[in-house]
Amino acid sequence: MKKLFLILPLSGLLLFSCKEKPVEAPKPTQTAPLSEKPKEEAVSDKGIGPITEVKLGPIDQNLVKKGKEIFDSKCASCHKLEEKYVGPPLKGVTKRRKPEWIMNMILNPSEMEQKDPVAKQLLSEYLTQMTFQNVSQDDARAILEYLRSVDEK
């Protein structure tokens, strides 16, 4: 019985000493006002990539032929001209986008899909990333010429 009387006060003491101390709320850190938005890179309608200017002239039939061959071998598995497929239909693309944007999308699809608003939107709609098809700038220019010829018909 003596032991019980010793244990009860000690257990009360232990409970009291283990009681949690109030925790202070963390001090707020200094942040930008809500009205300020994070600065985004300025993105032009020419896209992001190595192409900054394309000078177009009359459609070059030699480039069209080369572009169609490249398109058929590297692009047609994901793109059709007049219907949605893995990627968007490409008929009319030269009327909707600048030639620099089209070539930059062909040559630099990964960065375009990360930073260009139009490419981001296309990725969110089609849910498939466009892959670089190991084409040169000359090849991309030929593909552009082929797409121009399709849109002129």
Side-chain angles (χ1 to χ4, degrees), residues 40-91:
E40 292 186 20
E41 285 185 38
V43 178
S44 76
D45 55 356
K46 293 182 177 184
I48 300 158
I51 308 301
T52 57
E53 185 176 5
V54 177
K55 294 190 188 249
L56 298 176
I59 293 178
D60 179 335
Q61 292 303 319
N62 290 326
L63 271 182
V64 169
K65 183 179 178 201
K66 180 181 175 186
K68 181 174 179 7
E69 289 170 4
I70 297 166
F71 181 89
D72 289 344
S73 69
K74 297 194 179 219
C75 309
S77 60
C78 293
H79 293 281
K80 303 299 176 205
L81 293 175
E82 297 190 44
E83 62 185 89
K84 288 184 174 187
Y85 199 55
V86 176
L90 295 179
K91 184 169 179 136

Side-chain angles (χ1 to χ4, degrees), residues 2 52 79 108 111 118 136 144:
K2 253 185 183 181
T52 57
H79 293 281
N108 192 27
E111 190 174 8
V118 173
S136 67
L144 171 66

Side-chain angles (χ1 to χ4, degrees):
M1 184 83 136
K2 253 185 183 181
K3 289 181 185 179
L4 186 59
F5 287 117
L6 287 173
I7 293 174
L8 285 175
L10 286 176
S11 64
L13 182 63
L14 287 173
L15 285 174
F16 181 74
S17 66
C18 291
K19 187 177 177 185
E20 289 185 28
K21 294 181 182 179
V23 177
E24 288 184 29
K27 295 181 181 179
T29 57
Q30 203 164 9
T31 58
L34 292 176
S35 61
E36 287 183 28
K37 292 183 179 177
K39 292 180 183 175
E40 292 186 20
E41 285 185 38
V43 178
S44 76
D45 55 356
K46 293 182 177 184
I48 300 158
I51 308 301
T52 57
E53 185 176 5
V54 177
K55 294 190 188 249
L56 298 176
I59 293 178
D60 179 335
Q61 292 303 319
N62 290 326
L63 271 182
V64 169
K65 183 179 178 201
K66 180 181 175 186
K68 181 174 179 7
E69 289 170 4
I70 297 166
F71 181 89
D72 289 344
S73 69
K74 297 194 179 219
C75 309
S77 60
C78 293
H79 293 281
K80 303 299 176 205
L81 293 175
E82 297 190 44
E83 62 185 89
K84 288 184 174 187
Y85 199 55
V86 176
L90 295 179
K91 184 169 179 136
V93 71
T94 64
K95 305 293 185 193
R96 295 186 305 272
R97 311 272 183 265
K98 292 201 174 221
E100 296 85 357
W101 189 96
I102 296 167
M103 288 183 66
N104 281 325
M105 190 66 189
I106 294 167
L107 295 168
N108 192 27
S110 180
E111 190 174 8
M112 286 282 287
E113 288 172 340
Q114 292 171 8
K115 297 179 181 175
D116 181 83
V118 173
K120 281 181 176 182
Q121 189 276 327
L122 288 169
L123 176 59
S124 72
E125 183 178 343
Y126 287 88
L127 304 174
T128 302
Q129 288 187 321
M130 183 169 155
T131 56
F132 176 63
Q133 294 296 312
N134 198 28
V135 295
S136 67
Q137 287 187 18
D138 289 341
D139 292 342
R141 180 63 182 88
I143 295 167
L144 171 66
E145 200 70 0
Y146 167 64
L147 294 172
R148 285 181 65 210
S149 75
V150 167
D151 291 345
E152 290 296 316
K153 293 178 184 174

